[in-house]
Amino acid sequence: MKLHYQSHSPYARKVLVFAHEAGLADRLEVIQQETSPVQRNDDVFALNPLGKVPVLVCDDGTVLFDSSVICDYLDGLHHGDKLIPYAAPRRLQALLKQALAMGLADAGIAARWESQRRPEALRWPPLLEGHLQKVIAACDYLEANVPDGERVDIGDIALATALSWIEFRQVHDFQPGRPRLSAWYRRFCARPSMMATPLSGETVDRPASFPPGAADAVALA
Ligand SMILES: N[C@@H](CCC(=O)N[C@@H](CS)C(=O)NCC(=O)O)C(=O)O
């Protein structure tokens, strides 16, 4: 299987950590892609009309996109404990954690557009503040509802990879003042699946000063 990946994407890393936890990582060929809504990647668009990674090309040629769909597929390929539990209440708890994690990553990325990626003249501080409030509220919720840690599920993987990205991009320093979340996060980061998949790299967007259609890209810090 081919996993179209990005080494600095929380969603792509979620899939790769999931594959490690499911014992499937050695069945994946990982292909690095750079994607941005302002820097079209034709190879990714050919697979996913949304132009986003992760994308999985299965052995039979089936193309799957969106991290949650790919993880669902991968969970059907192994015979160990399922990472997406079948039955309530564990299933709902796992899916709720996953939903929170995806919202956390979405809000963090949106905040970063307002603080760094958008040309300075187009940034709107109230929108940055609004997105940051979601990040902070999600972290407060997690401090009050820290994952129970009994058995790893997709929600834990999604949360750890989203939080790790928040830390990597310095969106919000979530550990000080949140001892329970911090302890859980540090424990999870020590897992081999996390150690094997470090975040790295810079976002590649179109340079702000270039006219539409310019092909060059620039790496933004
Ligand atoms: N809901 C999607 C989100 C995927 C996503 O936003 N990926 C980013 C990388 S972090 C991307 O490729 N963005 C390019 C774009 O928005 O055009 C998932 O869970 O897979």
Side-chain angles (χ1 to χ4, degrees):
M1 296 177 280
K2 289 183 168 60
L3 177 65
H4 292 265
Y5 190 73
Q6 194 173 109
S7 60
H8 46 92
S9 163
Y11 315 99
R13 188 183 187 201
K14 170 186 153 195
V15 168
L16 195 52
V17 168
F18 189 102
H20 276 273
E21 293 287 346
L24 296 168
D26 57 358
R27 290 180 56 184
L28 295 180
E29 178 190 341
V30 176
I31 300 166
Q32 173 71 14
Q33 299 283 4
E34 294 300 337
T35 56
S36 161
V38 293
Q39 188 68 40
R40 184 183 171 90
N41 179 328
D42 285 329
D43 292 341
V44 175
F45 264 95
L47 297 168
N48 175 0
L50 301 175
K52 298 182 179 190
V53 290
V55 177
L56 184 75
V57 182
C58 307
D59 288 339
D60 68 358
T62 303
V63 177
L64 300 176
F65 49 83
D66 197 287
S67 59
S68 304
V69 176
I70 298 170
C71 288
D72 199 335
Y73 173 75
L74 293 178
D75 215 25
L77 297 185
H78 69 101
H79 300 292
D81 286 341
K82 294 300 175 189
L83 296 167
I84 307 174
Y86 287 130
R90 284 195 57 225
R91 180 177 179 80
L92 288 178
Q93 287 162 358
L95 295 180
L96 187 65
K97 281 184 286 186
Q98 174 174 235
L100 183 67
M102 296 297 87
L104 177 59
D106 292 347
I109 289 171
R112 200 158 164 271
W113 275 102
E114 293 303 325
S115 62
Q116 298 192 36
R117 293 179 69 180
R118 199 186 292 281
E120 214 163 336
L122 301 178
R123 293 177 197 165
W124 191 27
L127 193 50
L128 169 62
E129 182 55 31
H131 290 309
L132 283 179
Q133 279 175 18
K134 293 178 199 290
V135 170
I136 291 165
C139 293
D140 288 343
Y141 175 96
L142 286 168
E143 174 66 11
N145 300 275
V146 80
D148 69 13
E150 268 173 32
R151 215 193 270 175
V152 168
D153 63 36
I154 190 170
D156 302 321
I157 295 168
L159 281 173
T161 48
L163 288 167
S164 174
W165 182 89
I166 294 283
E167 183 176 57
F168 173 65
R169 290 299 191 210
Q170 299 180 315
V171 173
H172 171 59
D173 191 9
F174 64 86
Q175 295 197 60
R178 296 192 186 94
R180 299 174 70 234
L181 175 60
S182 176
W184 176 85
Y185 172 70
R186 279 188 274 110
R187 255 195 331 273
F188 202 95
C189 285
R191 295 182 74 81
S193 60
M194 293 290 282
M195 304 284 279
T197 59
L199 291 166
S200 68
E202 303 302 337
T203 310
V204 181
D205 290 322
R206 179 196 304 275
S209 56
F210 276 43
D216 304 59
V218 70
L220 297 180

